[in-house]
């Protein structure tokens, strides 16, 4: 960004946000209420068990067609076992079918339980407050629940902010630890992009007037509670499509199993194909593994974002992040460190460095931005100029920076000094009847091409108005950004840097950082147009923003990440909110989205590949009596038909509980092309899903054979 934009740090920003190394998406900043004990805490299992039992309600189970079939099968085998109480095999199958159903519910209950623990902590932050509502110039005390959109409330030091809103008057330090988990207070002030406040946070100093922007019960904390509890979670398009596929496979296997009965009667294997055996076969063949874990994978994906202090307003947004083709990234604070520092003073011909340094320092005394402070320090350290203070120049007239003039400076002792953007300073000099040195433009172009930001310094005294030289501001590219962009490129994602800098500076920074493209001197309309162009080409676009002028683009983007420090309009427009207000987190959000999609695909592959071993276990057990040649298919050498069928059912149940940690944590993501990722996952989860059941069923069979009457 050029000098026409001043950034205010709020004490929390990127400096306090922690970031895990690339590829490791399990760490990072934790939101309040984070459940301890790792991803698969045994205590969490026990605590979630009652919820898993409650989910046996058919009205709940029918939402997952695969597991609903397993529930019906469990009921059928229970009835048959009760009719024949002496049949140990029927009771064993029944018990393990019920366990299969409960294990599936347990996976979802554990995932939901982690969110409920976070919600409990958030509820503690949600307190009933008394608001000081403004009626004209008078105040009245009313319960926070009676506030409506548009009401003005007064908050002073020690007050709890009664509802979400925007500061319309004053500036205050606010404690947002209840929301973000950060102990460092933040500054909220009227106007600009840091005016939004959240209900339940505490004012630490000063006085502000807040305009309420949400209804009671619809505050940010209420939405957070609903999201982390999963109460508002809706199935995403991909999840719905996969559910339809799983339901179709279930119908196919159901028809196949139903036709086996008349075929068995014809072949004389009626006793070996009882209803209990056919039910066991059906449950083993339908994709129960992914059917059981599908919901848990989606919940855990959103939970991983919550652990990073990112709230996704819908699962659709998380999935979209995984399919993003274009990333729009702000330059300042995202790609670069953001605090530009003065690195050198470059005088024009006929001016000395000392004269330029003196004028630059003088014009920066009232400039409290990091850039302004760095100019004063550079003049003091490099040129030995004593740092002066505004108090020593009480008779001076200070010229404040504005977005319109894009200049600041001072008038003192009949001498006017100005510094600012090149075009603005040149225009000021000419308005004063002065001239601009021939080499001024050359110097500014050279600094811009080097990736720096040039600020012209000019004076008007008894010699007339003239340019003295250029201040070279450097904005340092963050360490490791080129490597991150290389990773994104390998993933097939195009990166576009958005900046208010001039095209020359933007090009230099873009080349140094390694982004694919850049948008210089960007306006809100330019951002919107760029997003629409990308989407018109069939691409999904992600971007970050914090200001009201970012709201249209955030709403248009497929993944719009609003900063928590930003305005209410930005947070309403985006489909994600970053509580840490760390723009670089957008890259991690994309990685988490891809991890969600990869996990779902990997476990689906594993689940379908699982079926092969069960064919070799159950089919010979059912038909080897009628067709002895089928015994050759018993390649695992299973002890008996009962042991073979029971081993397959037990493995089918245990593999669900064994894969719960993977569903919650997610498959490890490594940036690579789609082809190499597919080959890798087919090798691990396709081949693994093929081999693991052979080993698992054989081990269970060996254990069962030790029990008298089974082997």
């Amino acid at each position: 960004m050029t000098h026409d934009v001043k950034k205010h740090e709020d004490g929390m920003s990127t400096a306090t946000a922690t970031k895990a190394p690339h590829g490791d998406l399990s760490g990072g900043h934790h939101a309040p209420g984070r459940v301890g004990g790792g991803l698969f805490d045994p205590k969490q299992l026990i605590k979630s068990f009652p919820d898993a039992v409650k989910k046996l309600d058919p009205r709940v189970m029918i939402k997952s067609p695969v597991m609903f079939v397993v529930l019906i099968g469990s009921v059928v085998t229970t009835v048959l076992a009760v009719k024949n109480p002496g049949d140990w095999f029927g009771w064993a199958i029944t018990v393990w079918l019920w366990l299969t159903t409960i294990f599936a519910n347990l996976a979802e209950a554990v995932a939901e339980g982690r969110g409920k623990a976070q919600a409990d902590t958030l509820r503690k932050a949600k307190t009933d407050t008394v608001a000081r509502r403004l009626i004209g110039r008078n105040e009245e005390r009313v319960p926070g629940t009676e506030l409506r959109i548009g009401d003005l409330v007064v908050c002073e030091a020690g007050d709890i902010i009664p509802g979400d809103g925007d500061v319309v008057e004053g500036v205050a330090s606010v404690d947002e630890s209840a929301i973000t988990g950060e102990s460092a207070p933040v500054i909220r002030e009227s106007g600009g992009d840091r005016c939004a406040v959240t209900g339940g946070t505490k004012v630490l100093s000063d006085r502000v007037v807040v305009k309420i922007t949400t209804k009671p019960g619809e505050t940010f904390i209420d939405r957070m509670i609903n999201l982390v509890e999963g109460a508002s979670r809706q199935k995403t398009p991909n999840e719905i499509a996969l559910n339809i596929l799983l339901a179709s496979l279930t119908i196919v296997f159901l028809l196949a199993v139903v036709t086996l009965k008349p075929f068995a009667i014809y072949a004389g294997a009626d006793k070996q194909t009882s209803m209990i055996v056919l039910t066991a076969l059906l449950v083993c063949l339908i994709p129960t593994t992914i059917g059981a874990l599908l919901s848990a994978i989606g919940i855990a994906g959103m939970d991983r974002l919550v652990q990073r202090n990112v709230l996704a307003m819908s699962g659709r947004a998380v999935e979209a992040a995984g399919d993003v083709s274009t990333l729009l990234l702000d330059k300042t604070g995202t790609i670069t460190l953001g605090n530009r520092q003065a690195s050198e003073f470059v005088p024009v011909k006929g001016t000395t460095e000392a004269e330029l340094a003196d004028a630059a320092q003088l014009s920066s005394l009232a400039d409290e931005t990091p850039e302004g402070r760095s100019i004063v320090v550079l003049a003091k350290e490099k040129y030995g100029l004593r740092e002066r203070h505004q108090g020593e120049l009480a008779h001076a007239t200070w010229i404040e920076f504005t977005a319109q003039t894009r200049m600041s400076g001072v008038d003192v002792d009949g001498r006017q000094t100005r510094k600012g953007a090149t075009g603005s300073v040149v225009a000021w000099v000419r308005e004063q009847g002065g001239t601009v040195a021939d080499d001024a433009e050359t110097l500014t172009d050279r600094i811009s091409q080097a990736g720096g930001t040039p600020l012209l310094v000019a004076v008007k005294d008894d010699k007339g108005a003239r340019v003295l030289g250029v201040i070279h501001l450097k904005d340092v590219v963050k360490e490791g950004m080129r490597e991150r962009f290389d990773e994104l490129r390998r993933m097939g994602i195009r990166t576009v840097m958005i900046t208010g800098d001039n095209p020359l500076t933007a090009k230099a920074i873009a080349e140094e950082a390694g982004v694919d493209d850049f948008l210089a001197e960007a306006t809100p309309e330019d951002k919107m147009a760029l997003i629409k162009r990308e989407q018109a080409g069939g691409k999904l676009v992600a971007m970050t923003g914090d200001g009201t002028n970012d709201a249209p683009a955030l709403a248009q983007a497929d993944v719009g990440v609003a900063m928590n420090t930003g305005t209410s309009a930005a947070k309403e427009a985006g489909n994600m909110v970053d509580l840490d207000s760390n723009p670089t987190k957008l890259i991690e959000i994309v990685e988490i989205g891809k991890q969600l999609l990869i996990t779902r695909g990997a476990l689906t592959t594993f689940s379908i590949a699982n079926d092969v071993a069960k064919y070799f276990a159950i089919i010979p057990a059912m038909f080897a009596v009628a067709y002895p040649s089928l015994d050759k298919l018993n390649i695992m050498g299973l002890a008996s038909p009962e042991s073979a069928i029971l081993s397959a059912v037990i493995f089918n149940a245990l593999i669900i509980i064994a894969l719960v940690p993977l569903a919650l944590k997610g498959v490890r993501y490594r940036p690579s092309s789609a082809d190499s990722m597919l080959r890798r996952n087919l090798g691990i989860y396709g081949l693994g899903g093929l081999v693991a059941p052979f080993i698992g069923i054989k081990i269970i069979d060996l254990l069962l054979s030790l029990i008298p009457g089974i082997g």
Side-chain angles (χ1 to χ4, degrees):
M1 293 190 159
T2 54
H3 188 68
D4 58 333
V5 178
K6 289 190 178 183
K7 287 191 171 281
H8 299 280
E9 298 301 324
D10 64 359
M12 190 184 109
S13 199
T14 56
T16 58
T18 56
K19 181 175 69 175
H22 334 321
D24 180 9
L25 302 177
S26 60
H29 191 95
H30 301 319
R34 170 75 196 277
V35 181
L39 283 163
F40 201 47
D41 187 354
K43 292 180 182 178
Q44 187 67 40
L45 268 181
I46 297 170
K47 190 176 180 180
S48 301
F49 189 80
D51 290 332
V53 175
K54 290 178 185 176
K55 288 179 180 290
L56 291 175
D57 184 342
R59 291 170 297 182
V60 176
M61 295 294 296
I62 200 169
K63 295 177 182 177
S64 173
V66 176
M67 299 316 300
F68 185 66
V69 169
V70 179
L71 177 65
I72 294 174
S74 303
V75 173
V76 170
T77 56
T78 301
V79 172
L80 295 174
V82 170
K83 286 184 177 180
N84 188 8
D87 181 14
W88 68 266
F89 177 74
W91 281 110
I93 293 293
T94 298
V95 168
W96 281 101
L97 289 186
W98 279 111
L99 286 175
T100 302
T101 311
I102 291 174
F103 287 166
N105 291 344
L106 192 60
E108 184 175 10
V110 168
E112 289 178 349
R114 291 146 61 88
K116 287 178 181 177
Q118 293 164 336
D120 290 340
T121 301
L122 289 169
R123 281 197 180 91
K124 294 176 183 176
K126 185 183 175 184
T127 56
D128 293 330
T129 57
V130 176
R132 297 161 56 188
R133 183 165 59 186
L134 277 179
I135 304 294
R137 293 187 177 183
N138 300 319
E139 293 182 15
E140 65 171 357
R141 292 185 174 271
V142 298
T145 53
E146 291 186 10
L147 293 175
R148 294 295 179 264
I149 295 175
D151 285 349
L152 298 177
V153 295
V154 176
C155 298
E156 294 182 325
D159 290 346
I160 300 295
I161 296 174
D164 294 357
D166 292 329
V167 176
V168 294
E169 180 184 319
V171 58
S173 176
V174 179
D175 176 10
E176 293 188 340
S177 58
I179 308 297
T180 65
E182 279 291 346
S183 58
V186 298
I187 300 299
R188 293 290 175 262
E189 57 188 334
S190 60
D193 296 340
R194 298 182 185 273
C195 62
V197 290
T198 305
T201 56
K202 185 177 182 180
V203 177
L204 298 180
S205 68
D206 302 297
R207 175 186 184 274
V208 289
V209 176
V210 176
K211 184 177 182 180
I212 300 298
T213 57
T214 57
K215 298 177 182 177
E218 297 180 7
T219 65
F220 194 59
I221 288 185
D222 291 316
R223 292 163 67 192
M224 286 176 69
I225 291 171
N226 288 334
L227 286 165
V228 298
E229 276 190 320
S232 62
R233 195 185 92 85
Q234 296 179 335
K235 290 185 177 180
T236 63
N238 282 351
E239 204 171 340
I240 293 171
L242 186 53
N243 258 318
I244 293 172
L245 173 63
L246 298 181
S248 302
L249 290 174
T250 300
I251 293 171
V252 170
F253 283 121
L254 180 61
L255 293 174
V257 170
V258 167
T259 59
L260 284 178
K261 188 62 177 177
F263 182 75
I265 294 173
Y266 173 79
D270 187 29
K271 291 182 179 179
Q272 287 76 32
T273 56
S274 65
M275 184 62 71
I276 288 179
V277 171
L278 290 175
T279 303
L281 175 63
L282 175 62
V283 170
C284 287
L285 295 185
I286 62 177
T288 51
T289 306
I290 186 60
L293 298 174
L294 186 58
S295 182
I297 293 169
I299 295 171
M302 295 185 71
D303 182 61
R304 280 194 292 277
L305 282 177
V306 172
Q307 291 171 25
R308 292 303 184 95
N309 266 9
V310 177
L311 292 181
M313 300 307 171
S314 70
R316 183 192 297 265
V318 186
E319 273 191 0
D323 285 330
V324 159
S325 305
T326 305
L327 274 181
L328 305 186
L329 297 163
D330 185 32
K331 186 203 78 171
T332 307
T334 304
I335 295 173
T336 63
L337 293 175
N339 292 340
R340 293 170 298 180
Q341 302 292 308
S343 61
E344 63 176 327
F345 298 123
V346 186
V348 297
K349 292 178 181 178
T351 303
T352 65
E353 284 190 42
E355 184 182 1
L356 172 60
D358 181 72
Q361 186 192 61
L362 186 63
S363 64
S364 301
L365 293 179
D367 187 350
E368 296 299 330
T369 63
E371 295 94 331
R373 294 292 85 206
S374 71
I375 292 170
V376 173
V377 171
L378 179 64
K380 177 184 176 182
E381 293 181 348
K382 190 171 182 179
Y383 299 96
L385 294 176
R386 182 178 66 85
E387 183 175 350
R388 292 163 289 190
H389 301 282
Q390 294 185 54
E392 300 175 34
L393 302 169
H395 57 290
T397 301
W398 301 98
I399 310 300
E400 295 290 336
F401 170 87
T402 68
Q404 288 72 35
T405 63
R406 299 171 67 192
M407 289 189 305
S408 61
V410 62
D411 295 345
V412 60
D413 297 331
R415 176 184 169 100
Q416 299 178 32
T417 307
R418 298 290 186 272
K419 83 164 194 306
T422 302
S424 299
V425 174
V426 168
W428 178 81
V429 169
R430 287 175 176 161
E431 284 175 6
Q432 303 301 318
T435 58
V436 179
D438 295 337
D439 56 340
E441 184 177 353
T442 304
L443 294 175
T444 57
D445 287 348
R446 189 187 75 192
I447 291 172
S448 295
Q449 289 169 357
T453 300
L455 297 180
L456 279 187
V457 179
V459 297
K460 180 184 179 184
D461 52 19
D462 52 8
K463 296 180 182 178
R466 63 193 186 283
V467 172
L468 297 180
V470 188
I471 303 170
H472 183 179
L473 295 180
K474 274 188 176 180
D475 196 355
V476 181
V477 173
K478 289 181 178 178
E479 186 178 354
M481 290 306 294
R482 176 173 282 277
E483 289 74 14
R484 295 299 294 272
F485 290 135
D486 287 342
E487 289 177 5
L488 290 169
R489 198 171 292 109
R490 288 196 295 272
M491 292 153 50
I493 296 175
R494 177 171 169 263
T495 51
V496 181
M497 181 184 78
I498 299 176
T499 177
D501 279 338
N502 63 66
L504 287 174
T505 301
K507 182 180 180 182
I509 293 290
E511 289 176 352
E512 184 180 352
V515 295
D516 297 310
D517 202 354
F518 64 89
L519 180 65
E521 298 176 341
T523 64
E525 293 76 18
D526 293 335
K527 296 178 188 178
M528 194 76 164
L530 175 60
I531 292 173
K532 287 182 177 180
R533 281 201 306 273
E534 293 291 321
Q535 291 173 332
K539 298 176 181 178
L540 296 186
V541 181
M543 75 160 286
T544 61
D546 60 0
T548 300
N549 61 351
D550 290 325
L554 285 171
Q556 181 68 33
D558 301 283
V559 180
V561 184
M563 302 294 102
N564 189 45
T565 56
T567 62
S568 297
K571 289 194 279 190
E572 287 294 328
N575 49 26
M576 291 188 187
V577 177
D578 177 15
L579 300 181
D580 289 332
S581 301
N582 177 4
T584 59
K585 205 177 287 184
L586 180 59
I587 297 174
E588 296 174 26
I589 290 170
V590 170
E591 292 177 340
I592 290 173
K594 285 191 173 293
Q595 187 184 32
L596 171 66
L597 297 177
I598 291 168
T599 301
R600 189 181 291 153
L603 291 184
T604 300
T605 304
F606 186 92
S607 179
I608 294 174
N610 248 315
D611 286 348
V612 176
K614 298 166 193 173
Y615 284 110
F616 286 93
I618 297 179
I619 298 298
M622 294 172 62
F623 292 101
V625 173
Y627 300 100
S629 58
L630 285 178
D631 195 48
K632 293 179 181 178
L633 294 178
N634 184 16
I635 59 177
M636 289 178 279
L638 303 179
S640 66
E642 292 84 358
S643 177
I645 295 170
L646 187 55
S647 297
V649 172
I650 292 173
F651 177 84
N652 195 61
L654 294 180
I655 196 64
I656 293 173
I657 207 71
L659 289 175
V660 169
L662 184 61
L664 296 181
K665 184 179 180 181
V667 174
R668 184 174 175 81
Y669 171 72
R670 293 185 179 89
S672 58
S673 66
D675 289 343
S676 62
M677 200 180 301
L678 178 63
R679 285 194 300 270
R680 175 177 173 270
N681 287 337
L682 282 177
I684 296 175
Y685 298 99
L687 188 60
L690 194 65
V691 173
F694 283 97
I695 299 171
I697 291 172
K698 179 59 181 177
I699 291 173
I700 295 171
D701 175 72
L702 291 173
L703 295 175
L704 290 176
S705 65
L706 299 176
I707 302 174
I710 296 182

